[in-house]
Amino acid sequence: VNPQTDTGASCSPVQVTEGVIAPDLGGRAYFSKWCTAGVFDADMYLVVPLLGKTVQFTVDLGGAGCGCNVAFYFTAMQKNPIAGACADHYCDANNVCGARCDEVDVMEANSKVFRSTLHRSQDNVGGSVGYGGTGPHTQTWTRNEYGPGSSCIDTNKPFEVKAHFPTHEVNKKTVLQGMMIDLSQDGASCEDGLTGTVGWYKFGGDDAIVALTQALRKGMVPMVSYWNSRDMGWLDGRDINGELPCAADTPDSCPLRGPKFSNLSVQNFTGWLHASTMNLSPKPNKTAKAVDDDVDADGGSTATAVGRSGGEAVPVLVQSSGVATMAGDRLLEPVQLAGGWLQVYQNDDPSKAYYFNPGTGQTTWDRPAEAT
């Protein structure tokens, strides 16, 4: 089903030929049991149970680079009674068409980056793994393993994606254990491929992975999309280890046609949830400390510590709100806080900080009480 945008315009075409799904730039399509041009009904959409399953497909990114987003994902839109701004019952965790629902992003990617995310309906950030971008997530590989000409996944060529949704028993109930993404490619020098595992995700004080169990058991609607933006830094901006996959987003260079999905299948999961290929953590400078000393004019407390960028000592202003700045046009380095927590800055933006605990793998936008 080829839907509309939130302005009422039709999305760009999505071609389906002999099992190959090829969205044009600006295209979005939902899998459906039946379709009639211009008719949208929540009951028409194909619902795929995901709990205890493996979803597998082949993707060819077709030259989509910085500023492009090639996506394969699921939402619980079959349960959405509201037609919404897109008039097709679409819903997701970002409220794109005016309705929210649980969302599973198997892949949001381009030739430089790849991210996978679980979302509760009210959480547009979610629990995420992969490579590239800002915000709370676990970086599980680098440009050496993923990208054009890279050793494990050469994005100039098609590759295989597997999304696993294993279960385990908790208090005699079968619940979702997490989401594990495996990437592989024929002929790659990296025989084991790449793995990214979302095994920890909290939202609103609850275990969000367990909370998603029912949605995955009842099933979700698969869909594909391909879009572009000049503000894609959350996906392809500076990552946790300091790598910058895309120095700038160039959406005008996204090919009008190129990405393709094929060989889609769903089967029972037969393995086990295991660790990511890498678990890269922000690296704090040991000389940088967050200490609340003086009270500023706005009533917040501030302190000046010393950080290092490229071996050069530079002053860092740390505020009690968790916002910090660094003098000069230099990378904002993570700051070590109490309780094992790090304060990490999104894409060198001092107004956007999140908190990461390398010991537990936890990430949060809210400053933890013990990170004083």
Side-chain angles (χ1 to χ4, degrees):
V1 177
N2 196 37
Q4 302 178 157
T5 68
D6 57 359
T7 63
S10 294
C11 291
S12 298
V14 176
Q15 312 293 334
V16 181
T17 307
E18 297 181 352
V20 177
I21 304 169
D24 286 3
L25 184 61
R28 183 175 79 236
Y30 319 133
F31 288 47
S32 180
K33 294 174 288 187
W34 55 267
C35 60
T36 302
V39 176
F40 301 99
D41 187 299
D43 292 333
M44 67 192 292
Y45 298 123
L46 179 68
V47 179
V48 178
L50 296 175
L51 194 67
K53 302 295 184 179
T54 292
V55 177
Q56 180 176 351
F57 57 89
T58 302
V59 63
D60 183 344
L61 293 172
C66 297
C68 315
N69 187 332
V70 181
F72 185 99
Y73 61 114
F74 295 83
T75 81
M77 62 183 289
Q78 81 278 7
K79 299 189 296 183
N80 178 28
I82 304 169
C86 298
D88 57 12
H89 298 269
Y90 178 78
C91 59
D92 62 13
N94 283 281
N95 200 31
V96 170
C97 296
R100 290 184 178 274
C101 60
D102 294 333
E103 178 179 349
V104 174
D105 297 328
V106 172
M107 68 166 278
E108 291 184 276
N110 60 43
S111 63
K112 301 295 185 71
V113 298
F114 190 107
R115 289 273 290 272
S116 303
T117 310
L118 295 175
H119 293 273
R120 292 303 316 278
S121 61
Q122 300 298 314
D123 181 16
N124 66 322
V125 177
S128 183
V129 295
Y131 170 55
T134 59
H137 71 282
T138 300
Q139 182 182 345
T140 51
W141 49 78
T142 73
R143 68 181 59 169
N144 294 326
E145 293 77 36
Y146 179 95
S150 295
S151 62
C152 293
I153 302 296
D154 178 357
T155 54
N156 291 321
K157 306 173 184 177
F159 58 94
E160 304 297 318
V161 179
K162 292 182 181 179
H164 311 287
F165 303 95
T167 63
H168 63 163
E169 299 293 320
V170 176
N171 297 325
K172 297 183 179 180
K173 294 183 179 180
T174 300
V175 298
L176 179 66
Q177 190 177 9
M179 176 174 67
M180 184 169 65
I181 304 296
D182 286 332
L183 307 184
S184 61
Q185 188 173 57
D186 289 341
S189 59
C190 177
E191 293 182 0
D192 295 330
L194 299 174
T195 296
T197 297
V198 182
W200 188 97
Y201 169 32
K202 297 282 187 180
F203 179 71
D206 297 326
D207 186 329
I209 290 179
V210 172
L212 283 166
T213 297
Q214 198 63 8
L216 270 67
R217 177 179 284 118
K218 291 183 177 179
M220 306 176 86
V221 178
M223 57 196 74
V224 299
S225 68
Y226 172 40
W227 56 284
N228 62 350
S229 173
R230 295 190 183 279
D231 186 22
M232 202 77 76
W234 59 271
L235 176 65
D236 56 23
R238 193 182 304 281
D239 209 336
I240 285 173
N241 72 339
E243 286 186 58
L244 185 60
C246 292
D249 287 319
T250 54
D252 293 342
S253 66
C254 298
L256 296 180
R257 291 184 178 177
K260 297 180 179 68
F261 299 91
S262 59
N263 303 320
L264 176 65
S265 67
V266 180
Q267 51 203 314
N268 290 332
F269 175 66
T270 58
W272 65 94
L273 188 73
H274 55 269
S276 302
T277 301
M278 302 177 186
N279 189 352
L280 299 176
S281 304
K283 299 297 188 248
N285 188 282
K286 295 181 180 179
T287 62
K289 297 181 180 180
V291 182
D292 297 331
D293 286 337
D294 304 319
V295 177
D296 61 22
D298 296 325
S301 56
T302 64
T304 300
V306 175
R308 293 187 180 274
S309 180
E312 179 183 357
V314 291
V316 180
L317 176 66
V318 182
Q319 301 176 347
S320 59
S321 61
V323 176
T325 59
M326 182 175 281
D329 185 18
R330 299 181 173 90
L331 174 66
L332 291 169
E333 297 187 357
V335 176
Q336 184 73 59
L337 304 177
W341 289 91
L342 302 177
Q343 179 176 281
V344 187
Y345 311 102
Q346 279 202 90
N347 230 26
D348 298 345
D349 186 343
S351 68
K352 296 179 180 179
Y354 68 94
Y355 303 90
F356 178 82
N357 191 316
T360 65
Q362 295 170 283
T363 55
T364 176
W365 286 110
D366 301 319
R367 185 166 183 157
E370 64 270 27
T372 54

